[in-house]
């Protein structure tokens, strides 16, 4: 499985925000919710080489 694209992340975010009454969410909230909505590969879940305590996919949020 290849890495998730920024477009796929954006689609998941838009879908989530349209479900919320306020239409808003914090980055932390999005990072918690996105894995419930998309399939993340082992590459996506790998630790970021440039950001401590963050997976590679989180940088796309």
């Amino acid at each position: 499985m290849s890495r998730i694209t920024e477009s796929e992340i954006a689609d998941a975010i838009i879908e989530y925000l349209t479900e919320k009454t306020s239409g808003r969410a914090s980055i932390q909230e999005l990072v918690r919710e996105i894995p419930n909505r998309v399939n993340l590969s082992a590459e996506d879940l790998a630790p970021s080489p440039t950001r401590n305590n963050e997976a590679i996919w989180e940088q796309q949020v």
Side-chain angles (χ1 to χ4, degrees):
M1 180 189 252
S2 61
R3 290 205 35 229
I4 194 164
T5 66
E6 287 189 15
S7 178
E8 290 168 317
I9 294 283
D11 289 344
I13 290 170
I14 290 168
E15 179 184 298
Y16 180 64
L17 294 178
T18 58
E19 294 170 7
K20 294 183 58 83
T21 307
S22 67
R24 302 173 74 177
S26 68
I27 297 296
Q28 293 85 2
E29 185 177 349
L30 294 171
V31 167
R32 282 192 309 269
E33 183 60 30
I34 288 171
N36 299 323
R37 295 171 178 268
V38 298
N39 292 319
L40 297 169
S41 70
E43 291 177 73
D44 296 319
L45 297 170
S48 169
T50 58
R51 296 185 186 176
N52 292 334
N53 303 314
E54 196 169 282
I56 289 176
W57 74 270
E58 293 178 62
Q59 294 180 45
Q60 294 170 283
V61 178

